[in-house]
């Protein structure tokens, strides 16, 4: 299996189409030795088609921050995996903590999204992670285990890779992170739980860390045995800053 570090930007609801195109091109042209890393940007729906056209044949790829589970139908306001693929997406995130907390998504819904994305040959990024309160009451491992059990529901569609992002809710946008060793420990737990749930298919998983990744800590997270990549929110919004973070992980 390809073991390049995976580094992705989550631009949340921050950029216009024009800004997204401009900044993605800037990132693409600033990465040294792009074959050494897998880089993609999770965009607002409105920017996906324009950015994927602008990045045609280039190394940086495009993904969505959310998706619906049906292929088509009367689902006002939703976007299907087929539509994402048609617009140029290769990845789709499911179950980000902001979707769970603000929009009430539960793991039953997330499980349907996760499987729908895989069925259509896109790479899903499934988010798991405990809240501050769950952490304080010593429930981190139990929470992660439950989230994975529901999301996998004992089976996954055949096909390609899938990514799991361990992103503790208390680390998102706060500047506070677990230590790389703590994150590594949880990523190993994720690997073991998935193996228990789906056996050999677990080889298709790559397990990432997210939450306040910055220039100071990115290399430390990526040096851990069980952290295959990182997801970056705030520190990815400035394209020069994001490219610097990516370049910090590339050998000359
Ligand atoms: P952050 O966001 O890097 O700003 O903590 C991460 C995320 O929400 O995916």
């Amino acid at each position: 299996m390809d073991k390049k570090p995976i580094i992705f930007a989550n631009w949340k609801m921050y950029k216009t189409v024009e800004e997204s195109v401009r900044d993605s091109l800037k990132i693409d042209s600033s990465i040294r030795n792009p074959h050494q890393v897998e880089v993609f940007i999770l965009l607002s729906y409105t920017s996906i088609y324009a950015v994927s056209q602008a990045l045609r044949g280039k190394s940086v790829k495009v993904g969505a921050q959310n998706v619906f589970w049906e292929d088509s139908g009367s689902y006002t306001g939703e976007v299907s995996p087929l539509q994402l693929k048609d617009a140029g997406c290769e990845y789709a995130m499911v179950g980000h903590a902001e979707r769970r907390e603000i929009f009430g998504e539960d793991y039953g819904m997330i499980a349907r999204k996760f499987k729908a994305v895989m069925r259509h040959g896109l790479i899903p990024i499934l988010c798991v992670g405990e809240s501050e309160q769950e952490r304080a009451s010593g429930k981190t491992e139990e929470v992660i285990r439950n989230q994975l059990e529901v999301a996998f529901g004992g089976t996954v569609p055949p096909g390609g890779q899938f990514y799991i992002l361990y992103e503790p809710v208390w680390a998102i946008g706060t500047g506070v992170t677990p230590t790389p060793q703590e994150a590594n420990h949880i990523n190993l737990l994720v690997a073991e739980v998935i193996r228990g749930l789906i056996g050999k298919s677990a080889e298709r998983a790559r397990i990432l860390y997210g939450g306040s990744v910055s220039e100071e800590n990115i290399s430390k997270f990526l040096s851990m045995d069980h952290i295959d990549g990182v997801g970056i929110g705030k520190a990815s919004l400035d394209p020069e800053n994001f490219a610097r973070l990516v370049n910090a992980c590339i050998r000359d």
Side-chain angles (χ1 to χ4, degrees):
M1 190 188 288
D2 191 3
K3 282 293 182 189
K4 292 183 201 179
I6 299 157
I7 305 176
F8 75 84
N10 175 6
W11 281 351
K12 307 194 178 185
M13 200 178 71
Y14 281 108
K15 293 181 197 270
T16 63
V17 176
E18 199 181 324
E19 289 163 349
S20 302
V21 169
R22 182 198 62 201
D23 292 351
S24 327
L25 287 171
K26 214 179 262 179
I27 289 165
D28 186 82
S29 62
S30 310
I31 297 175
R32 299 194 319 265
N33 298 342
H35 57 278
Q36 285 189 19
V37 278
E38 176 177 330
V39 177
F40 56 95
I41 304 171
L42 303 184
L43 299 156
S44 297
Y45 289 141
T46 48
S47 298
I48 288 171
Y49 182 68
V51 174
S52 72
Q53 289 292 304
L55 289 176
R56 257 194 130 101
K58 300 191 187 288
S59 59
V60 172
K61 307 290 181 221
V62 165
Q65 300 166 11
N66 185 26
V67 61
F68 190 55
W69 56 76
E70 295 291 346
D71 291 357
S72 68
S74 298
Y75 302 104
T76 303
E78 293 298 329
V79 177
S80 76
L82 275 179
Q83 290 174 313
L84 290 181
K85 213 168 152 179
D86 179 51
C89 268
E90 294 182 42
Y91 305 83
M93 181 177 252
V94 299
H96 188 279
E98 285 151 16
R99 299 227 44 95
R100 285 182 266 143
E101 290 197 336
I102 306 170
F103 302 100
E105 286 191 15
D106 61 34
Y107 271 88
M109 296 160 79
I110 295 164
R112 296 175 80 173
K113 294 182 175 200
F114 181 51
K115 289 171 184 170
V117 167
M118 263 190 271
R119 236 183 0 255
H120 289 288
L122 295 164
I123 298 179
I125 302 131
L126 169 72
C127 304
V128 296
E130 80 285 8
S131 67
E132 174 74 75
Q133 208 183 358
E134 289 161 341
R135 179 186 186 225
S137 50
K139 293 215 170 104
T140 299
E141 299 199 2
E142 183 189 326
V143 167
I144 306 284
R145 198 180 288 279
N146 284 343
Q147 290 171 337
L148 290 169
E149 280 170 5
V150 180
F152 281 88
T155 160
V156 288
Q161 290 192 305
F162 52 90
Y163 298 172
I164 312 293
L165 178 71
Y166 169 53
E167 189 163 70
V169 181
W170 50 271
I172 298 175
T174 58
V176 184
T177 68
T179 63
Q181 290 73 17
E182 284 165 342
N184 194 50
H185 172 77
I186 298 295
N187 278 26
L188 174 58
L189 171 82
V190 170
E192 288 170 352
V193 172
I194 298 175
R195 205 172 312 124
L197 290 169
I198 60 170
K200 217 173 147 40
S201 295
E203 287 168 12
R204 292 156 50 197
R206 306 287 308 271
I207 306 169
L208 324 183
Y209 168 77
S212 293
V213 172
S214 66
E215 203 168 349
E216 287 72 49
N217 60 31
I218 187 168
S219 311
K220 293 184 196 132
F221 282 117
L222 287 177
S223 70
M224 295 286 124
D225 283 351
H226 303 290
I227 299 183
D228 299 322
V230 291
I232 309 176
K234 206 189 277 176
S236 74
L237 292 176
D238 177 320
E240 277 149 28
N241 195 50
F242 181 65
R244 210 168 32 247
L245 263 69
V246 174
N247 284 332
C249 310
I250 291 178
R251 291 180 309 277
D252 283 308

